[in-house]
């Protein structure tokens, strides 16, 4: 159903949901006095810092700052968006989620299309088990790729048999169903017979492509042998835009207990084979280069993204496109790293050869964004003299300037560039450079060593006959156990070594995200209200302060008004109210800030807020007096009243300085 979820329903849902039950069904809780404690599920720790207050229905981690109510916990723990979390809790509570009147989204508009795609996935999975030619597919998966039946089930792998109308006859039994399958990219219209169709996927291993909620939105098909194209993706449809989706993201969210980093690889099989070896947090692009939308989507889920490429020239080129795509969407406290594999290897082959532990060591040895950026800038230099150093600085700054100006990370890169180039940071920071349009704006195919992914043209009418393949029962296959070879860093011969940069070895030894910036007085007061909401009813805020057009004050005012009106509620309730409001993210950021743990423990939260309000009142009076005196002009100072106002203004200025 379309539309916004009513606030009243969210209140009722929270009232009928016990946070203790929600949390205890996902992690182990221990009673400690009136509260419960646990090892925090949102960061790695050895001693419990996660606290749950059953009376206030609020949780908080003193280690990482995560906090909220039942909705925010399900969102963070289950890796769901707000609406999905509401639906999960409503289902557990036996409630149906109502919606206010509104325009349906693209998924609701295409509900029947999605149903046909789901039926198609089921059809292909059934063929892998039942079709007379299934051994061709099962032998390929089991013997050639080393996959178990269990991992095939996790990713919903299927088989499209030879023939022109297998899916058409099974799922497209009605005219409207055929039309939906055609719109979903599953059928191709015959060129010489409008309104007549044939199957797009024939004689291929089938990979369902799911969105972040697990809905099947498209498919990939892998040919047997050396047929072309080797990989075939669904064309773009009303529910599938390949540049916005990542294969395996849903499975990574479902199967990774602590999803704190994601590896981006180049192919379906890389994702699946890594998962079989216990590395469940890999995703793949769908025949395109990594773009800014991919990075932005992943940064919403995790704090660290590792782009994994082959070590050949094509892999290096793909890494630079990934670098360029990431710069405009970088965030403080987020990491982007690069893993270059030995030439001739991909994640699939390497994890088979070395095993999980050795592959994880390679991930730990991945290069930082700064290392790749400076390495690329240096490789473009053609002169080995002072002009060459200037050229290096210009190359590096042309990329650094694409990072948002407000980020601490940008300042750190400029400082590192200053150390490497010998040009002071201020000069670099104020250097005007022509902005280079990054290559990630272009739709570039994946640089995998295998042929590109293709969509068949609608007039395709090729057909092949296939010989029978030798039998090998898929269900009896027991995946081979691969020995774990010790991985030795090529730089030092030591295990676990962090890769050093080429030019600034000490600085590039490891990348640590910049420390969170300190909070302003207004944000500190906002945090006090969030963590001690009962104080809001005892604080009065003058209208002139609340009405100022300042983003920080708007957030502060919204928090104060909510808790002044609802003193019995907590930050979790507020987050539920503001789930679709622009204030939601700033409030989440405050609760996750390093200062939150300190503010939670203070006993003078009310006084801290009052002090901030008092300062704002003084500043407001100061600003108003200055503006009035400016408007009156110098001649008016001869007036007695104006002289007194000027004296009062000077007192205000002295108080401000003190």
């Amino acid at each position: 159903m379309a539309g916004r979820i009513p606030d009243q329903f969210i209140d009722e849902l929270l009232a009928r949901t016990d946070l203790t039950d929600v949390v205890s069904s996902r992690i182990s809780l221990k009673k400690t006095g009136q509260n419960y404690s646990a090892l925090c599920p949102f960061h790695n720790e050895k001693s419990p810092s996660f606290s749950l207050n059953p009376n206030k229905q609020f949780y908080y981690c003193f280690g990482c700052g995560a906090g909220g109510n039942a909705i925010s916990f399900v969102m963070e723990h289950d890796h769901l968006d707000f609406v999905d979390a509401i639906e999960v809790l409503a289902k557990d509570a036996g409630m149906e989620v109502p919606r206010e009147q509104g325009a349906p989204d693209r998924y609701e508009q295409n509900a029947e299309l999605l149903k046909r795609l789901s039926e198609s996935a089921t059809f292909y999975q059934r063929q892998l088990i039942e079709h007379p030619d299934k051994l061709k597919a099962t032998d390929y998966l089991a013997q050639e790729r080393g996959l178990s039946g269990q991992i095939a089930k996790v990713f919903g792998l299927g088989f499209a048999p030879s023939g022109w109308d297998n899916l058409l006859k099974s799922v497209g039994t009605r005219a409207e169903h055929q039309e939906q399958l055609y719109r979903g990219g599953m059928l191709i219209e015959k060129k010489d017979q409008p309104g007549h169709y044939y199957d797009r996927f024939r004689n291929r291993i089938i990979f369902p492509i799911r969105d972040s909620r697990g809905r099947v939105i498209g498919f990939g098909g892998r040919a047997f042998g050396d047929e072309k194209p080797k990989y075939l993706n669904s064309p773009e449809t009303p529910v599938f835009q390949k540049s916005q989706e990542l294969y395996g993201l849903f499975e990574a969210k479902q199967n990774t207990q602590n999803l704190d980093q994601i590896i981006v690889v180049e192919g379906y099989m890389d994702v699946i084979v890594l998962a079989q070896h216990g590395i469940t947090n890999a995703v793949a692009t769908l025949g395109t280069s990594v773009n800014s939308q991919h990075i932005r989507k992943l940064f919403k889920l995790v704090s660290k993204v590792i782009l994994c490429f082959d070590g050949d020239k094509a892999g290096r080129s793909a890494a630079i496109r990934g670098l360029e795509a990431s710069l405009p969407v970088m965030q403080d406290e987020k990491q982007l790293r690069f893993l270059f594999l030995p030439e001739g290897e991909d994640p699939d082959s390497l994890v088979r050869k070395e095993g999980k532990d050795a592959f994880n060591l390679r991930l730990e040895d991945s290069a930082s964004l700064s290392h790749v950026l400076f390495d690329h800038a240096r490789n473009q230099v053609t002169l080995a003299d002072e002009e060459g150093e200037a050229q290096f600085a210009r190359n590096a700054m042309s990329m650094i300037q694409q990072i948002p100006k407000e980020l601490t990370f940008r300042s750190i890169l400029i400082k590192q560039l200053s150390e490497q180039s010998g040009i002071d940071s201020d000069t670099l920071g104020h250097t005007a450079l022509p902005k280079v349009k990054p290559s990630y704006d272009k739709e570039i195919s994946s640089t995998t060593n295998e042929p590109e992914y293709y969509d068949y043209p609608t007039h395709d009418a090729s057909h092949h006959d296939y010989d029978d393949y030798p039998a090998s029962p898929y269900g009896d296959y027991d995946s081979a156990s691969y020995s774990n070879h010790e991985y030795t860093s090529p730089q030092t011969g030591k295990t676990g070594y962090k890769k050093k940069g080429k030019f600034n070895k000490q600085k590039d030894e490891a990348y640590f995200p910049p420390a969170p910036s300190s909070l302003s007085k207004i944000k500190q007061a906002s945090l006090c209200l969030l963590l001690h909401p009962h104080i809001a009813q005892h604080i009065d805020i003058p209208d002139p302060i609340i009405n100022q057009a300042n983003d920080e004050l708007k957030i502060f005012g919204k928090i104060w008004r909510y808790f002044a009106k609802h003193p019995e509620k907590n930050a979790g309730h507020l987050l539920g109210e503001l789930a679709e409001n622009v204030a939601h993210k700033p409030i989440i950021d405050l609760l996750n800030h390093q200062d939150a743990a300190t503010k939670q423990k203070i006993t003078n939260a009310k006084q801290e807020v009052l002090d901030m309000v008092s300062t704002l009142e003084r500043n407001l009076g100061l600003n108003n007096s200055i503006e009035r005196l400016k408007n009156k002009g110098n001649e008016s100072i001869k007036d007695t009243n104006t002289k007194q106002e000027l004296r009062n203004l000077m007192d205000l200025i002295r108080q401000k300085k003190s």
Side-chain angles (χ1 to χ4, degrees):
M1 186 182 294
R4 182 177 180 272
I5 300 174
D7 294 340
Q8 296 88 338
F9 175 79
I10 296 173
D11 286 340
E12 184 181 354
L13 176 63
L14 287 171
R16 291 172 59 173
T17 299
D18 187 348
L19 177 62
T20 308
D21 292 340
V22 172
V23 175
S24 63
S25 68
R26 290 163 171 82
I27 64 174
S28 178
L29 291 175
K30 181 179 179 181
K31 195 80 164 70
T32 51
Q34 294 184 345
N35 296 339
Y36 292 89
S37 64
L39 292 173
C40 180
F42 307 123
H43 78 289
N44 294 323
E45 62 177 7
K46 295 182 179 179
S47 57
S49 59
F50 180 92
S51 178
L52 186 153
N53 187 320
N55 295 324
K56 295 183 178 180
Q57 290 290 292
F58 186 82
Y59 69 89
Y60 189 79
C61 175
F62 294 95
C64 68
N69 61 3
I71 297 172
S72 61
F73 184 86
V74 172
M75 287 173 66
E76 293 296 322
H77 185 274
D78 296 3
H79 309 295
L80 301 175
D81 60 24
F82 176 75
V83 174
D84 291 341
I86 291 288
E87 290 177 348
V88 167
L89 291 173
K91 182 179 179 180
D92 292 343
M95 302 170 69
E96 184 175 345
V97 181
R99 300 295 182 95
E100 295 174 348
Q101 192 68 29
D105 63 21
R106 60 175 174 152
Y107 295 106
E108 292 166 340
Q109 291 173 338
N110 295 283
E112 287 300 309
L113 187 156
L114 289 168
K115 188 175 181 181
R116 300 290 89 77
L117 294 176
S118 177
E119 291 169 354
S120 299
T122 301
F123 168 78
Y124 291 132
Q125 290 161 17
R126 194 166 63 245
Q127 302 314 299
L128 187 62
I129 300 171
E130 300 175 355
H131 196 275
D133 293 338
K134 67 178 182 179
L135 294 179
K136 182 196 314 188
T138 56
D139 281 359
Y140 170 79
L141 293 171
Q143 295 182 3
E144 293 189 38
R145 308 313 294 253
L147 299 183
S148 66
Q150 181 181 1
I151 203 69
K153 185 176 181 180
V154 168
F155 285 88
L157 301 188
F159 170 50
S162 299
W164 294 93
D165 56 6
N166 293 298
L167 181 69
L168 180 64
K169 287 181 177 179
S170 177
V171 181
T173 54
R174 298 164 58 179
E176 59 266 31
H177 291 180
Q178 293 180 15
E179 177 63 25
Q180 289 152 6
L181 287 171
Y182 173 69
R183 289 179 61 235
M186 305 307 297
L187 301 179
I188 297 173
E189 189 172 27
K190 294 181 179 179
K191 187 177 181 181
D192 55 349
Q193 291 182 277
H196 292 77
Y197 308 98
Y198 60 94
D199 292 356
R200 178 179 296 275
F201 296 100
R202 308 180 302 279
N203 201 56
R204 290 176 178 270
I205 297 294
I206 296 297
F207 303 84
I209 301 168
R210 298 178 172 123
D211 67 7
S212 59
R213 292 178 63 177
R215 297 173 292 206
V216 176
I217 55 175
F219 293 88
R222 206 276 188 196
F224 296 96
D226 296 325
E227 295 174 50
K228 307 296 182 186
K230 184 171 287 187
Y231 281 95
L232 171 68
N233 276 340
S234 294
E236 299 216 335
T237 70
V239 296
F240 176 54
Q241 285 79 46
K242 61 183 179 180
S243 63
Q244 298 179 20
E245 303 296 340
L246 288 161
Y247 178 76
L249 183 57
F250 171 74
E251 289 80 4
K253 290 163 59 177
Q254 291 293 306
N255 300 310
T256 309
Q257 184 173 4
N258 293 317
L259 189 63
D260 53 0
Q261 68 178 30
I262 284 179
I263 312 157
V264 182
V265 296
E266 292 183 300
Y268 302 128
M269 279 297 181
D270 293 326
V271 172
I272 297 170
V273 174
L274 285 172
Q276 175 154 306
H277 285 76
I279 302 172
T280 59
N281 58 331
V283 301
T285 55
L286 295 166
T288 67
S289 296
V290 177
N291 60 44
S292 298
Q293 294 182 77
H294 293 142
I295 301 297
R296 188 182 290 112
K297 175 181 282 192
L298 293 177
F299 275 163
K300 288 182 179 179
L301 287 174
V302 296
S303 60
K304 183 178 180 180
V305 175
I306 303 175
L307 304 183
C308 183
F309 300 101
D310 297 345
D312 57 12
K313 184 178 179 181
R316 294 276 169 178
S317 298
I320 298 309
R321 290 197 293 275
L323 170 69
E324 292 174 337
S326 69
L327 295 174
V329 295
M330 279 303 297
Q331 304 172 32
D332 283 336
E333 302 178 36
K334 302 289 184 181
Q335 287 191 61
L336 187 78
R337 299 186 72 87
F338 297 80
L339 175 60
F340 297 100
L341 303 180
E343 192 162 354
E345 300 281 7
D346 56 29
D348 177 353
S349 64
L350 199 58
V351 77
R352 293 167 184 268
K353 185 183 299 182
E354 296 185 342
K356 173 184 176 181
D357 293 340
F359 193 87
N360 279 331
L361 285 176
R362 288 186 180 273
L363 293 173
E364 293 177 11
D365 198 31
S366 57
S368 67
L369 183 152
S370 60
H371 172 75
V372 175
L373 186 150
F374 292 132
D375 196 17
H376 178 56
R378 182 70 72 180
N379 287 339
Q380 293 177 301
V381 173
T382 57
L383 301 172
D385 52 17
E386 289 81 359
E387 287 80 1
E389 287 302 304
Q391 186 180 354
F392 161 65
R394 285 194 300 272
N395 293 341
M397 276 305 299
S398 69
M399 291 184 283
I400 293 173
Q401 70 177 359
Q402 297 173 35
I403 299 173
K405 292 182 179 180
E406 67 273 12
L407 296 192
T408 306
F409 180 53
R410 174 174 168 145
S411 301
I412 289 175
L413 288 182
I414 292 175
K415 182 179 179 182
Q416 290 183 0
L417 177 58
S418 173
E419 294 171 354
Q420 294 187 26
S421 66
I423 303 172
D424 67 84
S425 299
D426 288 339
T427 301
L428 288 170
H430 294 89
T431 299
L433 293 170
K435 289 195 175 182
V436 180
K437 188 176 182 180
S439 59
Y440 63 84
D441 284 340
K442 302 175 183 178
E443 187 75 6
I444 303 174
S445 296
S446 173
T447 58
T448 177
N449 290 330
E450 297 181 337
E452 297 174 337
Y453 292 69
Y454 291 92
D455 299 327
Y456 276 129
T458 55
H459 62 270
D460 173 60
S462 58
H463 183 255
H464 302 279
D465 293 323
Y466 299 91
D467 296 327
D468 291 335
Y469 283 68
S472 172
Y474 192 65
D476 296 338
Y477 173 72
D478 184 15
S479 60
S481 58
Y482 301 97
S483 58
N484 291 342
H485 300 291
E486 182 178 350
Y487 168 62
T488 303
S489 172
Q491 285 84 1
T492 65
K494 295 181 180 179
T495 300
Y497 171 74
K498 299 292 185 183
K499 183 174 289 186
K500 292 185 178 181
K502 182 177 180 182
F503 310 109
N504 186 3
K505 295 185 177 180
Q506 186 175 4
K507 286 288 181 183
D508 281 335
E509 184 172 355
Y511 172 73
F512 296 97
S517 57
S518 58
L519 294 176
S520 67
K521 292 292 185 183
I522 297 173
K523 287 186 175 180
Q524 290 187 44
S526 298
L527 190 53
C528 285
L529 288 175
L530 287 168
L531 299 174
H532 307 274
H534 64 280
I535 66 175
Q537 60 184 319
H538 305 296
I539 297 172
D540 292 323
I541 313 293
D543 287 341
I545 291 178
I546 293 299
N547 294 333
Q548 287 189 63
N550 176 300
D551 288 342
E552 289 188 1
L553 277 174
K554 286 180 181 177
I555 300 295
F556 172 79
K558 194 175 290 290
I559 297 170
W560 170 74
R561 277 191 293 264
Y562 181 81
F563 289 130
K565 185 178 180 180
H566 306 288
E568 77 287 355
K569 294 192 175 183
N570 57 48
H573 293 99
L574 176 61
L575 288 172
E577 294 275 353
L578 300 178
E580 299 177 14
N581 189 286
V582 293
H584 186 268
K585 185 180 184 304
I587 291 176
I588 287 287
D589 290 342
L590 282 175
L591 288 169
N592 286 330
H593 194 275
Q594 62 177 3
D595 290 352
T598 303
K599 296 297 182 188
Q600 178 79 28
K601 301 174 183 178
I602 64 174
T603 57
N604 61 337
K606 176 183 173 183
Q607 190 59 50
E608 187 167 328
V609 176
L610 289 174
D611 289 345
M612 188 278 296
V613 173
S614 178
T615 301
L616 287 179
E617 286 181 307
R618 289 199 303 272
N619 289 344
L620 185 62
L622 176 63
N623 294 336
N624 289 342
S625 295
I626 292 173
E627 193 62 33
R628 280 196 301 272
L629 289 173
K630 280 183 179 179
N631 292 334
K632 287 182 179 181
N634 292 334
E635 289 301 317
S636 66
I637 295 180
K638 296 177 182 179
D639 176 76
T640 304
N641 291 334
T642 305
K643 288 180 179 179
Q644 183 59 47
E645 185 173 2
L646 180 59
R647 282 192 289 270
N648 294 339
L649 173 61
M650 298 304 295
D651 288 339
L652 281 170
I653 292 174
R654 279 193 292 271
Q655 292 177 25
K656 182 177 176 63
K657 288 184 177 180
S658 63

